[in-house]
Amino acid sequence: MLWNAELYDNKHAFVFQYGESVLELLAVKPGERILDLGCGTGHLTEKIQEQGAEVVGLDASPEMIAQAKENYPELDFNVGNGAYFSFDQPFDAVFTNATLHWIKDADGVIRSVYHVLKPGGRFVGEFGGKGNNQLMMAAAETVLKKHGYLKGDFVLPWYYPSTAEYATKLEAGGFRVTFVTHFDRPTPLQDGRDGIAKWFNMFGESIFKAAPKTELPQILDEITDLLQPTNEVDGQWFADYKRLRFVAVKE
Ligand code: BEZ
């Protein structure tokens, strides 16, 4: 996927703004060496450094890393695959916000994180959990079917595991899970009813790959209509998010 780093920073800043509460869970100690896995445009990476850590950012998107380097030239940012990476020097903690749902190879992520952590190091993160965007995806499925652009099953482009599934993977990967929670987090969108179309344009373009580009505005409008009863309250539109938040310690 080609990321639009500017649209991300301007209209979808909630992604890293919500991440600030995940940072509290990370509880940085000054002097720690920390990896920000899926650092995007670097805003949380910089917050980790502000708290006294030596921080390294990693992201699969060259566009995001270019923007991160422009935002924070003094920090160390790298392009790399989140399911297959290594570093010469080990880390005290790996932090990840709003990234793991993009990587279907969850075992690869856990394996890589395990290898870069010191013994006793922690893996702290948040991402989309089971049922994330359920209403938005159901609406997209209905409208794509109606227009004849869904032949087989509707396949989510993201990985949204349950608590049990992810904790089991972490344990199998050599971690002790010390905290996990799966919670609803309705996320306010900008720009009124256009917010739904903008969300799909930013994050979910691949869902519509069978539809001609010229029909997209109509399809997105119909999706928005279907979502009005559930995803709009007094003129404010929401993305129906369910998040999984966890802390796991390398044994
Ligand atoms: C997000 O964190 O904003 C996000 C969640 C699921 C899919 C795409 C984006």
Side-chain angles (χ1 to χ4, degrees):
M1 153 160 181
L2 195 68
W3 280 92
N4 179 338
E6 197 183 318
L7 182 64
Y8 175 82
D9 265 4
N10 290 339
K11 295 285 182 196
H12 300 91
F14 62 79
V15 177
F16 51 83
Q17 284 162 356
Y18 278 111
E20 292 187 20
S21 61
V22 193
L23 264 187
E24 286 170 24
L25 203 58
L26 176 65
V28 175
K29 295 179 204 80
E32 282 189 319
R33 181 171 151 82
I34 295 182
L35 175 67
D36 182 3
L37 174 57
C39 61
T41 47
H43 299 300
L44 292 176
T45 324
E46 198 254 350
K47 291 246 175 314
I48 294 171
Q49 195 226 21
E50 262 177 18
Q51 294 174 13
E54 176 198 335
V55 67
V56 176
L58 181 75
D59 203 286
S61 158
E63 297 82 27
M64 288 291 197
I65 288 296
Q67 185 64 50
K69 285 183 172 168
E70 204 176 308
N71 290 344
Y72 307 107
E74 71 286 5
L75 296 187
D76 179 3
F77 291 109
N78 304 266
V79 177
N81 181 341
Y84 191 80
F85 64 86
S86 62
F87 284 89
D88 291 339
Q89 298 296 319
F91 292 92
D92 296 289
V94 174
F95 170 81
T96 184
N97 177 57
T99 294
L100 299 187
H101 43 254
W102 291 104
I103 311 177
K104 291 213 169 175
D105 182 4
D107 296 314
V109 173
I110 291 169
R111 200 177 313 118
S112 300
V113 171
Y114 185 88
H115 284 299
V116 300
L117 278 174
K118 295 177 185 171
R122 59 209 192 279
F123 183 23
V124 178
E126 182 179 306
F127 65 113
K130 188 171 182 200
N132 198 34
N133 313 127
Q134 210 158 29
L135 299 168
M136 294 167 79
M137 294 308 122
E141 182 174 2
T142 302
V143 175
L144 281 173
K145 250 190 207 143
K146 178 185 151 201
H147 285 259
Y149 297 125
L150 189 64
K151 300 292 179 224
D153 288 343
F154 181 81
V155 179
L156 275 178
W158 302 288
Y159 172 62
Y160 294 154
S162 68
T163 303
E165 178 180 334
Y166 203 64
T168 302
K169 283 190 183 295
L170 286 166
E171 286 174 359
F175 287 91
R176 182 166 58 92
V177 180
T178 58
F179 174 83
V180 64
T181 178
H182 186 190
F183 59 100
D184 286 291
R185 198 200 66 198
T187 299
L189 298 170
Q190 291 188 35
D191 301 330
R193 71 172 268 127
D194 292 347
I196 294 288
K198 288 186 175 169
W199 188 94
F200 278 104
N201 285 331
M202 176 80 212
F203 299 116
E205 249 190 339
S206 66
I207 293 171
F208 306 107
K209 55 181 182 289
K213 282 235 173 323
T214 47
E215 282 187 46
L216 257 189
Q218 173 65 23
I219 287 172
L220 289 168
D221 203 47
E222 289 178 32
I223 290 173
T224 306
D225 283 344
L226 282 184
L227 289 170
Q228 181 130 30
T230 50
N231 291 48
E232 185 256 345
V233 181
D234 297 334
Q236 175 64 62
W237 288 77
F238 294 88
D240 50 294
Y241 276 16
K242 286 188 176 62
R243 310 297 274 187
L244 202 68
R245 197 178 267 197
F246 66 92
V247 178
V249 176
K250 173 172 172 170
E251 293 200 305

